[in-house]
Amino acid sequence: MKDRKYLIAPSILAILLVAALVWGYNQYQTKKQREIALENYYQSLFFDIKKHIENIQVNLSKVMVANTKERNILLLSQISNEAISAHTKLGQMPLTHAEIANTEKFLNQAADYSTYLIQKHLQGEELTEEQRQALSNIQNNSVKFNEELTNIQNSLAEGNFFLGSLTASARNRVKEANENILQTSLVQLDEQFAKTPELIYDGPFADQMINRKPVGLPENEVTAEEARKIAAEFLGNVNIINIEQFEEGEHINEARIPAYTFNVYVDKQRNSPIYMGVSKKGGKVVWMNNPRPVGTTKLSVKNAEERALKFLQEKGFENMEPNYYLKYDGTILFNFVNTENKVTIYPDLVKVKVALDTGEIVGFDASAYYLNHHDRKIDEPHLTEAEARSKVRQDFNIDSIRLAIIPKGKNEVLCYEFKGKYNGSDFIVYINALDGSEEEILQLIKNENGTLTF
Amino acid sequence: MLFLSVLLFYEPKSIKKTAERYESMFAPRTLYWGVQGEDVRILQDKLLRWGYYDGAVDGIFGARTYRAVRKFQAKNGLQVDGIVGPATARALGMPEAYATAANSTVNRQTDEYLLARLIHGEARGEPYVGKVAVAAVVLNRVKHPSFPNTIAGVIYQPLAFTAVADGQINLTPNKDSIKAARDALNGWDPTYGCLYYWNPATATSKWIWSRKVMLKIGKHWFGI
């Protein structure tokens, strides 16, 4: 009996030890499986990227040889596809943004530029000498890119490093073994891309588009003190307790719309401030937002719209026309656009948010308006309404027709706007009023809360 | 022997739970006994008005709701199982998420929810404007050539956001985060086009300090 008692403690310990070993072994196996799965995923991304870059390189040389627009359009659309795929996959590799920012930009703009050239071809234009030069720059870059990728591939083949080991936790372990071949060579490449000349074209990712500055603000500069007064005045008849300015950085003047930003504390809502931005140039309220909780809905859409229109008139926005609305979180957000001589000007957009409990204006955003608004010389349409109608599908059921100016890249175009239904869904079709081309098609998604355009 | 049997029955970690959670986030839910939520409330309300249900509209799928659904299914020639799947939901006329018509499946809800989760993970202690600002940075990145071109691509770009790296993005967002995501998607950008933000107290990367600094919102500096 005595002997057996003596055995209890060691046997429990032995069982615990076995259990711990089993648990540990399982953990180790799971970790290993996951590492392998991750490594496999990164490897497939890597080889895919290499293939995409090769295809871009080859297709670009074909564009240089090709002699017809039709052939070019096919090749350019393939280049665009390959560049987008490479860009998407590169964004999933375990690399920091700082290491690949310019590489991503190169791929994105290569795709964007190809699309731009396709549009030029479709309008019947040939490639210009500058455009051929730009394409050859893109090709040089893709050759360099491919060379670096081949280097990395060779290192991978020698089996002395793993892509997966670049993730944060494993980084330190690997450091002494190899100096992160993937990173060093891609960083060098990224620096080279940064040096290539800017692509001049019109597309959503063009540098000129990103660095756009507002054209709708008056020229005079206002001080922070003046801006405070403007902010207080804008809120009208409320009891202001305190206005606090946000801390500024030294480069605030390089923001898209350089502005003073304020927290405005008012009497009736002491804990949640109203936020406002007042432009430094011209001293205009660019946006205002009051995120106070909203009570039970008491206003109809019609009532809210009247309030919003009255508010816009008080703030000096004349001829504004309500377009769409969206109800959310007890508020309703209206999109108002400017009209001139019965032409709807979509780029001059002002958003107004009305609280549906008291009808108070709880949001205002005129940043689009101030970015785009300028004195326009609106052309007389070259096409009649009937001529434009003949460019739209005959079985498209039209509810309304009007003239509108819509944005097209950096520019604006005058169009006939056809609103209607096709196959039970709502669409807007825009036909260029000067040359009759089909500029844009929007689908409207309507539900009980409002309308979204896609 | 013991070793083997433990090995056989030991399953490292159940991934079922996560799968269930993701399903409830992104797919229209199937409603059955035990689930709770706004959609259950809508279901009860409909059944109540049509006289199938006589309990409280409390958003909890219990015995009474179950019986009411079965009654409804029997009356309408559906499979009588007490579960509200796509067919029953359609017969009930449940709101948009259930509709399968070609054009009503296009909506902004997935973007909204993903953005709200990022806000919650990154900036839940920030003032409201700071939450919107974080979402605005994501949307500015989507439009910028040096970043991925989709909201998910930007958010899940490796090493871009700490809340994604440490899994905080998977917390359930609160009301404020969802509201902030909506305000950002509707165009409010309190950062005037910024692409980066960092917390001066915790930012470790030297590179981030080489950015052009614009303004400070809450605890974060914003820049390009």
Side-chain angles (χ1 to χ4, degrees), chain A residues 183-364:
Chain A
Q183 277 174 307
T184 40
S185 74
L186 284 184
V187 168
Q188 275 170 16
L189 184 73
D190 204 62
E191 282 159 9
Q192 285 190 348
F193 283 153
K195 288 179 203 141
T196 38
E198 201 175 277
L199 278 171
I200 309 286
Y201 71 102
D202 195 2
F205 290 118
D207 290 291
Q208 299 84 23
M209 199 64 192
I210 303 297
N211 302 325
R212 234 153 41 106
K213 289 284 170 243
V215 295
L217 288 169
E219 281 303 320
N220 63 310
E221 294 281 330
V222 297
T223 63
E225 271 318 302
E226 288 167 316
R228 268 170 202 265
K229 281 193 200 112
I230 292 165
E233 240 168 69
F234 188 85
L235 292 178
N237 204 8
V238 289
N239 208 352
I240 292 170
I241 297 168
N242 186 19
I243 300 183
E244 235 174 51
Q245 195 189 335
F246 284 45
E247 207 177 325
E248 275 181 8
E250 52 182 315
H251 297 279
I252 182 72
N253 288 325
E254 289 173 53
R256 190 170 297 145
I257 303 180
Y260 303 103
T261 313
F262 299 108
N263 278 329
V264 184
Y265 291 89
V266 298
D267 200 19
K268 57 182 172 178
Q269 44 178 96
R270 284 170 184 266
N271 295 324
S272 79
I274 298 171
Y275 306 108
M276 283 177 99
V278 179
S279 68
K280 298 197 162 188
K281 225 178 86 181
K284 296 283 183 189
V285 174
V286 183
W287 54 260
M288 180 276 282
N289 195 299
N290 178 0
R292 72 165 170 87
V294 179
T296 340
T297 298
K298 291 196 187 102
L299 264 72
S300 69
V301 175
K302 194 78 210 140
N303 287 342
E305 190 185 296
E306 281 161 11
R307 298 239 179 177
L309 257 176
K310 193 167 150 261
F311 169 82
L312 282 177
Q313 270 161 9
E314 281 167 16
K315 301 301 170 204
F317 291 94
E318 298 292 331
N319 305 323
M320 299 304 277
E321 178 191 82
N323 255 294
Y324 301 109
Y325 67 83
L326 203 61
K327 277 196 266 183
Y328 64 103
D329 300 323
T331 61
I332 182 163
L333 180 79
F334 290 100
N335 281 3
F336 286 94
V337 292
N338 192 10
T339 54
E340 267 177 46
N341 304 328
K342 291 188 179 165
V343 179
T344 307
I345 300 165
Y346 281 104
D348 292 358
L349 168 73
V350 179
K351 296 183 179 186
V352 180
K353 193 156 98 171
V354 184
L356 286 169
D357 53 354
T358 60
E360 188 188 0
I361 306 298
V362 290
F364 167 80

Side-chain angles (χ1 to χ4, degrees), chain B residues 83-194:
Chain B
I83 297 168
V84 184
T88 310
R90 214 174 300 129
L92 278 159
M94 293 283 282
E96 47 189 330
Y98 286 92
T100 44
N103 57 3
S104 51
T105 50
V106 181
N107 61 47
R108 251 181 15 191
Q109 277 163 4
T110 35
D111 285 353
E112 226 170 68
Y113 199 75
L114 184 55
L115 212 47
R117 273 168 44 203
L118 181 80
I119 295 171
H120 194 71
E122 284 274 310
R124 61 181 171 279
E126 291 292 300
Y128 185 71
V129 65
K131 291 182 175 143
V132 179
V134 163
V137 163
V138 172
L139 298 176
N140 289 335
R141 286 187 178 187
V142 171
K143 283 178 246 154
H144 195 277
S146 298
F147 290 93
N149 301 341
T150 59
I151 290 179
V154 166
I155 289 179
Y156 288 106
Q157 185 166 34
L159 314 171
F161 295 101
T162 43
V164 177
D166 66 14
Q168 287 193 59
I169 189 173
N170 293 325
L171 299 172
T172 306
N174 60 15
K175 221 174 117 202
D176 251 16
S177 303
I178 292 175
K179 194 173 158 188
R182 288 181 181 151
D183 266 340
L185 279 167
N186 283 329
W188 181 22
D189 178 7
T191 72
Y192 311 99
C194 285

Side-chain angles (χ1 to χ4, degrees), chain A residues 15-31:
Chain A
I15 290 169
L16 283 177
L17 179 69
V18 170
L21 281 174
V22 170
W23 181 80
Y25 178 74
N26 262 304
Q27 289 292 308
Y28 173 72
Q29 282 297 324
T30 320
K31 177 171 164 286

